[in-house]
Amino acid sequence: MDEDKRIVVDNLTSRYPGTTQPQLRGINAEVQAGQVVGIIGNSHSGKSTLCRVLAGVISKIVSAEVEGQWRLFGRRVDDWPAYNAMTGVVLQNPAGQLSGLSDTVADEIAFDLINQGLAENLIQKRIEKVAAQMGLSAQLHLHPESLSGGQIQRLAIATAIATHPTVLILDDPTSEMDPLGRRQFFHWLAGVKDTTVLIVTSEIDDLCEIADSVWVMHDGQLVSKGTPGDVFNHLATDWQIPAPTITQLAQKMNWRMADGQYPVNAAELKEVRYAHN
Amino acid sequence: MRTIELNHLTFTYPGRSFSLSIENQILADPMVAIVGQNGAGKSTLFKLLTGLLTPQAGVIKINGTDFNNLKPIEKLRQVGITFQNPDDQLFNPTVQREVEWSVAQVTDDRDKIATQALNALVRVGLDARIAENPYDLSLSERKLLSVATVLAVDPAIYLFDEPMMSLDWESRRKLTAIFHELADSGHQVVTITHDMDWVAAEFESVYVMEHGKFGFAGSPRELFSDHELVDRVGLLPPRIMAVAELLGDSQTYLSVDDYWQKNHDD
């Protein structure tokens, strides 16, 4: 298939200076345009390192040895201005991602748009739109540092999506949100079109409602990838990853789908319980 | 029995409309969850319980003694807190020194400091990392380290502010086990949390804070059976209830096992 229409990761290995074991070991994967990929795993599985490499943070900002190749829709990280313009990124600790130069939430969202040379009236419209999407309309005039942890995460996401990136890379973007904020975020993500999304999250119930594909990271390796149904029906015990609530319930009640698998999301659960009755 | 007793407690921040006002409340269960929306007063209550804030009126009794009459060292022996963001309480150059620093606030005995610090690090599974800088640990591990700094002091009452937030699954299991160990060994564990699955599955006692007051005290089953209250205070019921709802079942369920108990065919 045409390389310009997918993300390709080819035998990617990465190691931080001063560490003996690589944090990423021989990662191979592909993502088709417009897909949502969920990346899951415990601490030290390599998921944040993978985000940093794909975002270009390694090795543009953080130094690390990197072997192997990866391309976002045909573009390499060496072509940095174009590569950087394609991506919207929210990493762990989003407070550290704020520019530190903005007096208001609105200015912070505008930062990259001004750098892109967008007209002022368009900037204003864009700010209002992404603030509404992230539930920050009432906070636009506030200083970014006055926001709660969950609101800072929503600001980081608003800033990342304001430039209409081709690829969104989100590392645990809801970790500090309350349950309602988290639900609103995944509801928004479900409606995102024309953007390819890589999201690290531990919210597996929400993830299974929206992901096209799930990658499981363990000890720096990509140990499983496939549809949410395939992945969560074949979890290895030593990954220490729980199944979604729907799957746990179906296993306990022995509710299987026609193909023998347990359901992982609402649509599959309804299929199991209603389709054949 | 460990208890927190609040009598006619009032607190207001200067220049802000928020006020905390609690008439009479005794938290007496070994494991207590405090839930409610942001701004309901949960964190303010914790700051009052640790002496970071002083109430304008009223009395806080910890295990029967007026908290404000205790010497600082005695306060640390009675109440320990783990903050939501571990980076708010980690500042030493190594994991070991971080935990030893905490113990050194309550004793000068060097052997005791070393032993209690190491034991706490063993409990959270960080004993192999003692020489590392806390900021080389993952966020989950930094949270467990901040828990170890309190475990090492071993106060009578443990306060946790959003302990499950940002934890990976392995750490969640570890910390839940520690909660039960503490409760079973005569301590009181009081936690602020937004994680209703965890509250439903692990706690017997839950308090809802609303506009600076306690609006509900009871069991998780009682709480989640009161749909009007749950909606009003902006809580999401446990996920198993949302799953049951998909199947047209609006009963109260606390866990997958709870659903199975009530619905499986023998």
Side-chain angles (χ1 to χ4, degrees), chain A residues 40-44 47 92 148 172 175-180 182-183 201-206 209 239-242 245-246 248-249 252-253 255 265-266 269-270 273-274, chain B residues 37-38 84-85 87 129 136-141 165-171 173 194-197 234-236 239-240 243-244 246-248 256-257 259-260 263-265:
Chain A
I40 62 173
N42 277 292
S43 288
H44 303 294
K47 48 196 200 310
Q92 276 188 343
S148 70
D172 213 356
S175 61
E176 294 187 31
M177 292 185 196
D178 63 24
L180 287 172
R182 187 191 71 226
R183 188 167 70 174
T201 184
S202 55
E203 302 296 345
I204 45 180
D205 295 75
D206 299 306
E209 297 297 333
W239 300 342
Q240 300 214 42
I241 293 171
T245 307
I246 284 174
Q248 290 181 34
L249 180 66
K252 196 95 188 169
M253 302 296 289
W255 294 338
N265 56 34
L269 178 70
K270 285 182 176 170
R273 299 301 294 150
Y274 297 132
Chain B
Q37 278 181 314
N38 292 339
Q84 181 172 331
N85 182 353
D87 301 349
R129 315 287 296 276
D136 287 337
L137 304 182
S138 71
L139 181 56
S140 280
E141 289 165 342
M165 192 176 265
S166 315
L167 283 192
D168 63 11
W169 297 293
E170 217 177 323
S171 307
R173 274 190 285 269
H194 277 117
D195 189 335
M196 295 305 134
D197 286 6
L235 301 175
L236 280 185
R239 287 181 200 269
I240 185 65
V243 173
L246 289 171
L247 303 174
V256 166
D257 281 346
Y259 183 100
W260 181 78
N263 291 284
H264 77 286
D265 302 319

Coordinates of all heavy atoms in Angstrom, one line a residue, chain A residues 40-44 47 92 148 172 175-180 182-183 201-206 209 239-242 245-246 248-249 252-253 255 265-266 269-270 273-274, chain B residues 37-38 84-85 87 129 136-141 165-171 173 194-197 234-236 239-240 243-244 246-248 256-257 259-260 263-265:
Chain A
I40 N -1.6 0.1 25.3 CA -1.7 -0.2 26.7 C -0.5 -1.0 27.3 O 0.2 -1.6 26.5 CB -3.1 -0.9 27.0 CG1 -3.1 -2.3 26.3 CG2 -4.3 -0.1 26.6 CD1 -4.3 -3.2 26.6
G41 N -0.3 -0.9 28.6 CA 0.7 -1.6 29.2 C 1.0 -1.0 30.6 O 0.6 0.1 30.9
N42 N 1.8 -1.7 31.4 CA 2.1 -1.2 32.7 C 3.4 -0.3 32.6 O 3.9 -0.1 31.6 CB 2.4 -2.4 33.7 CG 1.0 -2.9 34.2 OD1 0.4 -2.2 35.0 ND2 0.6 -4.1 33.8
S43 N 3.8 0.2 33.8 CA 5.0 1.0 33.8 C 6.2 0.3 33.2 O 6.3 -0.9 33.4 CB 5.4 1.3 35.3 OG 4.5 2.2 35.8
H44 N 7.1 1.0 32.6 CA 8.3 0.4 32.0 C 8.0 -0.5 30.8 O 8.8 -1.3 30.4 CB 9.2 -0.3 33.0 CG 9.6 0.6 34.1 ND1 10.4 1.7 34.0 CD2 9.2 0.6 35.4 CE1 10.5 2.3 35.1 NE2 9.8 1.7 36.0
K47 N 5.5 2.3 26.5 CA 4.5 3.0 25.7 C 4.8 4.5 25.7 O 4.6 5.1 24.6 CB 3.1 2.7 26.3 CG 3.0 2.8 27.8 CD 1.7 2.1 28.2 CE 1.3 2.6 29.6 NZ 2.3 2.6 30.6
Q92 N 2.9 12.9 28.9 CA 2.6 12.9 30.3 C 3.1 14.2 30.9 O 4.0 14.9 30.4 CB 3.4 11.8 31.0 CG 2.7 10.4 30.9 CD 3.5 9.4 31.7 OE1 4.6 9.5 32.0 NE2 2.8 8.3 31.9
S148 N -7.0 23.4 37.1 CA -6.7 22.1 37.8 C -6.0 21.2 36.9 O -5.8 21.4 35.7 CB -8.1 21.5 38.2 OG -8.7 21.0 37.0
D172 N -1.7 9.1 27.8 CA -2.5 9.1 29.0 C -3.1 10.5 29.3 O -3.0 11.1 30.3 CB -1.6 8.7 30.2 CG -2.4 7.9 31.3 OD1 -3.7 7.8 31.1 OD2 -1.9 7.5 32.3
S175 N -5.5 11.1 32.6 CA -5.0 10.6 33.9 C -5.5 11.5 35.0 O -5.7 11.0 36.1 CB -3.5 10.4 33.9 OG -2.9 11.6 33.7
E176 N -5.6 12.8 34.8 CA -6.0 13.7 36.0 C -7.4 14.2 35.8 O -7.8 15.1 36.6 CB -4.9 14.8 36.1 CG -3.6 14.3 36.4 CD -2.6 15.4 36.7 OE1 -3.0 16.5 37.2 OE2 -1.4 15.2 36.4
M177 N -8.1 13.7 34.9 CA -9.5 14.2 34.7 C -10.5 13.4 35.7 O -10.2 12.3 36.0 CB -10.0 13.9 33.3 CG -9.3 14.8 32.3 SD -10.1 14.6 30.6 CE -8.8 15.3 29.6
D178 N -11.5 14.1 36.1 CA -12.5 13.4 36.9 C -13.4 12.5 35.9 O -13.3 12.6 34.7 CB -13.4 14.3 37.7 CG -14.2 15.3 36.9 OD1 -14.5 15.0 35.7 OD2 -14.5 16.4 37.4
P179 N -14.2 11.6 36.5 CA -14.9 10.6 35.6 C -15.8 11.3 34.5 O -15.8 10.9 33.4 CB -15.8 9.8 36.5 CG -15.1 9.9 37.8 CD -14.4 11.3 37.9
L180 N -16.4 12.4 34.8 CA -17.3 13.1 33.8 C -16.4 13.7 32.7 O -16.7 13.6 31.6 CB -18.1 14.2 34.5 CG -19.3 13.7 35.4 CD1 -19.9 14.8 36.1 CD2 -20.3 12.9 34.5
R182 N -13.5 12.6 31.8 CA -13.0 11.5 31.0 C -14.0 11.0 30.0 O -13.7 10.8 28.9 CB -12.6 10.4 32.0 CG -11.9 9.2 31.3 CD -11.8 8.1 32.2 NE -13.1 7.5 32.4 CZ -13.6 7.1 33.6 NH1 -12.9 7.3 34.7 NH2 -14.8 6.6 33.7
R183 N -15.3 11.0 30.5 CA -16.3 10.5 29.6 C -16.5 11.5 28.5 O -16.7 11.0 27.3 CB -17.6 10.3 30.4 CG -18.7 9.6 29.6 CD -19.9 9.2 30.5 NE -20.6 10.3 31.0 CZ -21.8 10.2 31.7 NH1 -22.2 9.0 31.9 NH2 -22.4 11.3 32.1
T201 N -3.5 4.8 27.1 CA -4.5 5.0 28.2 C -4.6 3.7 29.0 O -4.3 2.6 28.6 CB -5.9 5.4 27.6 OG1 -6.8 5.6 28.6 CG2 -6.5 4.3 26.7
S202 N -5.1 3.9 30.3 CA -5.5 2.7 31.1 C -7.0 2.6 31.1 O -7.5 1.7 31.8 CB -4.8 2.9 32.5 OG -5.2 4.1 33.0
E203 N -7.7 3.5 30.4 CA -9.2 3.4 30.5 C -9.6 2.4 29.4 O -10.1 2.8 28.3 CB -9.7 4.8 30.2 CG -9.3 5.9 31.2 CD -9.8 5.6 32.6 OE1 -10.7 4.7 32.8 OE2 -9.2 6.2 33.6
I204 N -9.5 1.1 29.7 CA -9.7 0.2 28.6 C -11.2 0.0 28.3 O -11.5 -0.3 27.1 CB -9.2 -1.2 29.0 CG1 -9.5 -1.5 30.5 CG2 -7.7 -1.3 28.8 CD1 -9.0 -2.8 30.9
D205 N -12.1 0.3 29.2 CA -13.5 0.2 28.9 C -13.9 1.3 27.8 O -14.5 1.0 26.8 CB -14.4 0.5 30.1 CG -14.2 -0.6 31.2 OD1 -13.2 -0.6 31.8 OD2 -15.1 -1.5 31.3
D206 N -13.4 2.5 28.1 CA -13.7 3.6 27.1 C -12.9 3.3 25.8 O -13.5 3.5 24.7 CB -13.2 4.9 27.6 CG -13.9 5.3 28.9 OD1 -15.1 5.3 28.9 OD2 -13.2 5.5 29.9
E209 N -14.6 1.0 23.2 CA -15.8 1.6 22.5 C -15.3 2.4 21.3 O -16.1 2.6 20.4 CB -16.5 2.6 23.4 CG -17.1 1.9 24.7 CD -18.2 0.8 24.3 OE1 -18.8 1.0 23.3 OE2 -18.4 -0.1 25.1
W239 N 1.2 -10.1 31.6 CA 1.1 -8.6 31.2 C 0.4 -7.8 32.3 O 0.5 -6.6 32.3 CB 0.3 -8.5 29.9 CG 0.8 -9.2 28.7 CD1 2.1 -9.6 28.5 CD2 0.1 -9.5 27.5 NE1 2.3 -10.2 27.3 CE2 1.1 -10.1 26.6 CE3 -1.2 -9.3 27.0 CZ2 0.7 -10.6 25.4 CZ3 -1.5 -9.7 25.8 CH2 -0.6 -10.4 25.0
Q240 N -0.3 -8.5 33.2 CA -1.0 -7.8 34.3 C -2.0 -6.7 33.8 O -2.0 -5.6 34.3 CB 0.0 -7.3 35.3 CG 0.8 -8.4 35.9 CD 1.1 -8.1 37.3 OE1 0.3 -7.7 38.1 NE2 2.4 -8.4 37.7
I241 N -2.7 -7.0 32.8 CA -3.7 -6.1 32.2 C -5.1 -6.7 32.4 O -5.3 -7.8 32.0 CB -3.4 -5.8 30.7 CG1 -2.1 -5.1 30.5 CG2 -4.5 -5.1 30.0 CD1 -1.6 -5.0 29.1
P242 N -6.0 -5.9 33.0 CA -7.4 -6.5 33.2 C -8.2 -6.4 31.9 O -7.9 -5.6 31.0 CB -8.0 -5.5 34.2 CG -7.2 -4.3 34.1 CD -5.9 -4.6 33.5
T245 N -14.8 -4.3 31.7 CA -15.8 -4.8 32.5 C -16.8 -5.7 31.8 O -17.2 -6.7 32.3 CB -16.6 -3.5 33.1 OG1 -15.7 -2.7 33.7 CG2 -17.6 -4.0 34.1
I246 N -17.1 -5.3 30.5 CA -18.1 -6.1 29.7 C -17.5 -7.5 29.5 O -18.2 -8.5 29.6 CB -18.4 -5.3 28.4 CG1 -19.3 -4.2 28.6 CG2 -18.9 -6.3 27.3 CD1 -19.6 -3.3 27.4
Q248 N -15.2 -9.0 31.3 CA -15.2 -9.7 32.6 C -16.5 -10.3 32.9 O -16.6 -11.5 33.4 CB -14.7 -8.8 33.7 CG -13.3 -8.4 33.7 CD -12.9 -7.5 34.9 OE1 -13.5 -7.6 36.0 NE2 -12.0 -6.5 34.6
L249 N -17.6 -9.5 32.7 CA -18.9 -10.0 33.0 C -19.3 -11.1 32.1 O -19.8 -12.2 32.5 CB -19.9 -8.8 32.8 CG -21.4 -9.2 33.1 CD1 -21.6 -9.5 34.5 CD2 -22.3 -8.0 32.6
K252 N -17.7 -14.3 33.1 CA -18.3 -14.9 34.3 C -19.6 -15.5 34.0 O -20.0 -16.6 34.5 CB -18.5 -13.7 35.3 CG -18.8 -14.1 36.7 CD -17.5 -14.1 37.5 CE -17.8 -14.7 38.9 NZ -16.7 -15.0 39.7
M253 N -20.4 -14.9 33.1 CA -21.7 -15.4 32.7 C -21.7 -16.3 31.5 O -22.8 -16.8 31.1 CB -22.7 -14.2 32.4 CG -22.8 -13.1 33.5 SD -23.6 -13.7 35.0 CE -25.3 -13.9 34.4
W255 N -21.2 -15.6 28.3 CA -21.9 -15.1 27.1 C -20.9 -14.9 26.0 O -20.0 -14.0 26.0 CB -22.4 -13.7 27.5 CG -23.5 -13.6 28.5 CD1 -24.3 -14.7 28.9 CD2 -23.9 -12.5 29.3 NE1 -25.2 -14.2 29.9 CE2 -24.9 -12.9 30.2 CE3 -23.4 -11.2 29.4 CZ2 -25.5 -12.1 31.1 CZ3 -24.0 -10.3 30.4 CH2 -25.1 -10.8 31.2
N265 N -17.2 -4.6 24.0 CA -17.8 -3.3 24.0 C -19.3 -3.4 24.0 O -19.9 -4.5 23.9 CB -17.3 -2.4 22.9 CG -17.5 -3.0 21.6 OD1 -18.4 -3.7 21.3 ND2 -16.5 -2.7 20.7
A266 N -20.0 -2.2 24.1 CA -21.5 -2.2 24.2 C -22.1 -2.9 23.0 O -23.1 -3.7 23.1 CB -21.9 -0.8 24.3
L269 N -21.8 -6.6 23.2 CA -22.6 -7.1 24.3 C -24.0 -7.3 23.9 O -24.7 -8.3 24.1 CB -22.5 -6.2 25.6 CG -23.3 -6.7 26.8 CD1 -22.8 -8.0 27.4 CD2 -23.4 -5.6 27.8
K270 N -24.5 -6.2 23.2 CA -25.9 -6.3 22.8 C -26.1 -7.4 21.7 O -27.1 -8.0 21.7 CB -26.3 -4.9 22.2 CG -26.5 -3.9 23.3 CD -27.0 -2.5 22.7 CE -27.3 -1.6 23.8 NZ -27.5 -0.2 23.4
R273 N -26.4 -10.6 23.6 CA -27.6 -10.8 24.4 C -28.9 -10.7 23.6 O -29.9 -11.3 24.0 CB -27.6 -9.8 25.6 CG -26.5 -9.9 26.5 CD -26.4 -11.2 27.2 NE -27.5 -11.5 28.1 CZ -27.9 -12.7 28.3 NH1 -27.4 -13.8 27.7 NH2 -28.9 -12.9 29.2
Y274 N -28.9 -10.0 22.5 CA -30.2 -9.7 21.8 C -30.3 -10.4 20.4 O -31.3 -10.7 20.0 CB -30.4 -8.2 21.7 CG -30.6 -7.6 23.1 CD1 -29.9 -6.4 23.4 CD2 -31.4 -8.1 24.0 CE1 -30.1 -5.8 24.6 CE2 -31.6 -7.5 25.3 CZ -30.9 -6.4 25.6 OH -31.1 -5.8 26.8
Chain B
Q37 N -17.8 16.3 43.9 CA -17.3 17.0 42.8 C -16.0 17.8 43.2 O -15.9 18.1 44.4 CB -18.3 17.9 42.2 CG -19.3 17.2 41.3 CD -20.3 18.1 40.7 OE1 -20.9 18.9 41.4 NE2 -20.5 18.0 39.4
N38 N -15.3 18.3 42.2 CA -14.2 19.2 42.4 C -14.8 20.5 43.1 O -15.9 20.9 42.6 CB -13.5 19.6 41.1 CG -12.7 18.4 40.6 OD1 -12.4 17.5 41.3 ND2 -12.5 18.5 39.3
Q84 N -2.2 14.0 46.0 CA -2.6 13.6 44.7 C -1.4 13.5 43.7 O -1.3 12.5 43.0 CB -3.7 14.6 44.2 CG -4.2 14.2 42.8 CD -5.4 15.2 42.4 OE1 -6.1 15.7 43.3 NE2 -5.6 15.4 41.2
N85 N -0.6 14.5 43.8 CA 0.6 14.6 42.9 C 1.8 14.3 43.7 O 2.2 15.1 44.6 CB 0.6 16.0 42.3 CG 1.8 16.1 41.3 OD1 2.6 15.2 41.2 ND2 1.9 17.2 40.6
D87 N 4.8 14.5 43.1 CA 5.9 15.5 43.0 C 5.7 16.6 44.0 O 6.7 17.4 44.1 CB 5.9 16.0 41.5 CG 6.1 14.8 40.6 OD1 6.4 13.7 41.0 OD2 6.0 15.0 39.3
R129 N 15.2 -0.3 44.3 CA 15.4 1.0 43.6 C 16.0 2.1 44.5 O 15.9 3.3 44.2 CB 14.1 1.5 43.0 CG 13.3 0.4 42.3 CD 13.9 0.0 40.9 NE 13.9 1.1 40.0 CZ 12.9 1.4 39.2 NH1 11.7 0.7 39.3 NH2 12.9 2.4 38.3
D136 N 13.7 9.5 38.5 CA 13.9 8.5 37.4 C 12.9 7.4 37.5 O 12.9 6.5 36.7 CB 15.3 7.9 37.6 CG 16.4 8.9 37.2 OD1 16.0 9.8 36.4 OD2 17.5 8.8 37.6
L137 N 12.0 7.4 38.5 CA 10.9 6.4 38.6 C 9.8 6.9 37.7 O 9.6 8.0 37.4 CB 10.4 6.3 40.0 CG 11.5 6.0 41.1 CD1 10.7 5.9 42.5 CD2 12.2 4.7 40.8
S138 N 8.9 5.9 37.3 CA 7.7 6.2 36.6 C 6.7 6.9 37.5 O 6.9 6.9 38.8 CB 7.1 4.9 36.0 OG 6.5 4.2 37.1
L139 N 5.7 7.5 37.0 CA 4.7 8.2 37.8 C 4.1 7.3 38.8 O 3.9 7.6 40.0 CB 3.7 8.9 36.9 CG 2.6 9.7 37.6 CD1 3.2 10.8 38.5 CD2 1.7 10.3 36.5
S140 N 3.7 6.1 38.4 CA 3.1 5.1 39.3 C 4.1 4.8 40.4 O 3.7 4.7 41.6 CB 2.8 3.8 38.5 OG 1.7 3.8 37.8
E141 N 5.4 4.6 40.1 CA 6.3 4.3 41.1 C 6.6 5.5 42.1 O 6.7 5.3 43.3 CB 7.7 3.9 40.5 CG 7.6 2.6 39.8 CD 8.7 2.3 38.9 OE1 9.4 3.3 38.4 OE2 9.0 1.1 38.5
M165 N -5.3 7.6 41.1 CA -5.1 8.4 39.9 C -3.7 8.2 39.3 O -2.7 8.3 40.1 CB -5.3 9.9 40.2 CG -5.4 10.8 39.0 SD -5.8 12.5 39.5 CE -7.6 12.5 39.3
S166 N -3.6 8.0 38.0 CA -2.3 7.8 37.3 C -1.6 6.5 37.6 O -0.4 6.4 37.3 CB -1.3 9.0 37.6 OG -2.0 10.2 37.5
L167 N -2.2 5.6 38.4 CA -1.5 4.4 38.7 C -1.7 3.3 37.6 O -2.8 3.2 37.1 CB -2.0 3.8 40.0 CG -1.6 4.4 41.3 CD1 -2.0 3.4 42.5 CD2 -0.1 4.6 41.4
D168 N -0.7 2.5 37.3 CA -0.9 1.4 36.4 C -1.6 0.3 37.1 O -1.8 0.3 38.4 CB 0.4 1.0 35.7 CG 1.4 0.5 36.6 OD1 1.1 0.2 37.8 OD2 2.6 0.3 36.2
W169 N -2.0 -0.7 36.4 CA -2.8 -1.8 37.0 C -2.1 -2.6 38.1 O -2.7 -2.9 39.1 CB -3.3 -2.8 35.9 CG -4.2 -2.1 34.9 CD1 -5.5 -1.5 35.2 CD2 -3.9 -1.8 33.6 NE1 -5.9 -1.0 34.1 CE2 -5.0 -1.1 33.1 CE3 -2.8 -2.1 32.7 CZ2 -5.1 -0.7 31.7 CZ3 -2.9 -1.6 31.4 CH2 -4.0 -1.0 30.9
E170 N -0.8 -2.8 37.9 CA 0.0 -3.5 38.9 C 0.0 -2.8 40.2 O -0.2 -3.3 41.3 CB 1.4 -3.6 38.3 CG 2.1 -4.9 38.6 CD 3.5 -5.0 37.9 OE1 3.6 -4.4 36.8 OE2 4.4 -5.5 38.5
S171 N 0.3 -1.5 40.1 CA 0.4 -0.6 41.3 C -1.0 -0.5 42.0 O -1.1 -0.4 43.2 CB 0.9 0.8 40.9 OG 2.1 0.7 40.2
R173 N -3.3 -2.8 42.2 CA -3.5 -4.0 43.0 C -2.7 -3.9 44.3 O -3.2 -4.3 45.3 CB -3.1 -5.2 42.1 CG -4.3 -5.7 41.3 CD -3.9 -7.1 40.7 NE -3.0 -6.9 39.6 CZ -3.3 -6.8 38.3 NH1 -4.5 -6.8 38.0 NH2 -2.4 -6.6 37.4
H194 N -12.2 9.7 43.0 CA -13.2 9.8 42.0 C -13.5 8.4 41.4 O -14.3 8.3 40.5 CB -12.7 10.7 40.8 CG -12.9 12.2 41.1 ND1 -11.9 13.0 41.2 CD2 -14.0 12.9 41.3 CE1 -12.3 14.3 41.4 NE2 -13.7 14.2 41.5
D195 N -12.8 7.4 41.9 CA -12.9 6.1 41.2 C -14.0 5.2 41.9 O -13.8 4.6 42.9 CB -11.5 5.4 41.4 CG -11.4 4.1 40.6 OD1 -12.5 3.5 40.3 OD2 -10.3 3.7 40.2
M196 N -15.2 5.3 41.2 CA -16.3 4.7 41.9 C -16.3 3.1 41.7 O -16.9 2.5 42.6 CB -17.6 5.2 41.2 CG -17.9 6.7 41.5 SD -17.8 7.1 43.2 CE -16.8 8.5 43.2
D197 N -15.6 2.6 40.7 CA -15.5 1.1 40.7 C -14.7 0.6 41.9 O -15.1 -0.4 42.5 CB -14.7 0.7 39.4 CG -15.5 0.9 38.1 OD1 -16.6 1.4 38.2 OD2 -15.0 0.5 37.1
G234 N -22.9 14.7 40.7 CA -22.0 14.5 39.6 C -21.1 13.3 39.6 O -20.0 13.3 39.2
L235 N -21.6 12.2 40.3 CA -20.8 11.0 40.3 C -21.2 10.1 39.1 O -22.4 10.2 38.7 CB -21.1 10.2 41.6 CG -20.7 11.0 42.9 CD1 -21.2 10.1 44.1 CD2 -19.3 11.3 43.0
L236 N -20.3 9.3 38.7 CA -20.7 8.2 37.7 C -20.8 6.9 38.5 O -19.8 6.6 39.2 CB -19.6 8.1 36.6 CG -19.6 9.1 35.5 CD1 -18.5 8.7 34.5 CD2 -20.9 9.1 34.8
R239 N -19.0 1.1 36.8 CA -19.1 0.7 35.3 C -20.1 -0.5 35.2 O -20.8 -0.6 34.2 CB -17.8 0.3 34.7 CG -16.9 1.5 34.5 CD -15.6 1.0 33.8 NE -14.6 2.0 33.9 CZ -14.3 2.9 33.0 NH1 -15.0 3.0 31.9 NH2 -13.3 3.8 33.2
I240 N -20.1 -1.4 36.2 CA -20.9 -2.6 36.0 C -22.4 -2.2 36.0 O -23.2 -2.8 35.3 CB -20.7 -3.6 37.2 CG1 -21.5 -4.9 37.0 CG2 -21.0 -3.0 38.6 CD1 -21.1 -5.7 35.8
V243 N -23.1 -1.1 32.5 CA -23.2 -2.3 31.6 C -24.5 -3.0 31.8 O -25.2 -3.3 30.8 CB -22.0 -3.3 31.9 CG1 -22.2 -4.6 31.2 CG2 -20.7 -2.7 31.6
A244 N -25.0 -3.1 33.1 CA -26.3 -3.7 33.3 C -27.4 -2.8 32.7 O -28.4 -3.4 32.1 CB -26.5 -3.8 34.8
L246 N -27.2 -1.2 29.9 CA -27.2 -1.6 28.5 C -28.2 -2.8 28.3 O -28.7 -2.9 27.2 CB -25.8 -2.0 28.0 CG -24.8 -0.9 27.9 CD1 -23.4 -1.6 27.6 CD2 -25.1 0.0 26.7
L247 N -28.3 -3.6 29.3 CA -29.2 -4.8 29.2 C -30.5 -4.6 29.8 O -31.3 -5.5 30.1 CB -28.5 -6.0 29.8 CG -27.1 -6.3 29.3 CD1 -26.4 -7.4 30.1 CD2 -27.2 -6.7 27.8
G248 N -30.9 -3.3 30.0 CA -32.2 -2.9 30.5 C -32.4 -3.2 32.0 O -33.5 -3.3 32.5
V256 N -18.6 -7.0 39.1 CA -19.0 -8.1 38.2 C -19.4 -9.3 39.1 O -20.4 -10.0 38.8 CB -17.8 -8.5 37.3 CG1 -18.0 -9.9 36.6 CG2 -17.5 -7.4 36.3
D257 N -18.7 -9.6 40.2 CA -19.1 -10.7 41.0 C -20.4 -10.5 41.6 O -21.2 -11.5 41.7 CB -18.0 -10.9 42.2 CG -16.8 -11.6 41.7 OD1 -16.8 -12.2 40.6 OD2 -15.8 -11.5 42.4
Y259 N -22.9 -8.9 40.3 CA -23.9 -9.1 39.2 C -24.1 -10.6 39.1 O -25.2 -11.1 39.0 CB -23.4 -8.5 37.9 CG -24.4 -8.6 36.8 CD1 -25.2 -7.6 36.4 CD2 -24.5 -9.9 36.1 CE1 -26.1 -7.7 35.4 CE2 -25.4 -10.0 35.0 CZ -26.2 -8.9 34.7 OH -27.1 -9.1 33.7
W260 N -23.0 -11.3 39.1 CA -23.0 -12.8 38.9 C -23.8 -13.4 40.0 O -24.7 -14.3 39.8 CB -21.6 -13.3 38.8 CG -21.5 -14.8 38.6 CD1 -21.7 -15.5 37.4 CD2 -21.3 -15.8 39.6 NE1 -21.5 -16.8 37.6 CE2 -21.3 -17.1 38.9 CE3 -21.0 -15.8 40.9 CZ2 -21.1 -18.2 39.6 CZ3 -20.8 -17.0 41.6 CH2 -20.8 -18.2 40.9
N263 N -27.5 -13.0 39.3 CA -28.1 -13.3 38.1 C -27.7 -14.7 37.5 O -28.3 -15.0 36.5 CB -27.7 -12.2 37.0 CG -28.4 -10.9 37.3 OD1 -29.6 -10.7 37.1 ND2 -27.7 -10.0 37.9
H264 N -26.8 -15.4 38.1 CA -26.4 -16.6 37.4 C -27.4 -17.7 37.7 O -28.1 -17.7 38.7 CB -25.0 -17.0 37.8 CG -24.9 -17.6 39.2 ND1 -25.0 -16.9 40.3 CD2 -24.7 -18.9 39.6 CE1 -24.8 -17.7 41.4 NE2 -24.6 -18.9 40.9
D265 N -27.5 -18.7 36.8 CA -28.4 -19.8 37.0 C -27.6 -20.9 37.7 O -26.4 -21.2 37.4 CB -28.8 -20.4 35.6 CG -29.5 -19.4 34.8 OD1 -30.3 -18.6 35.4 OD2 -29.2 -19.3 33.6

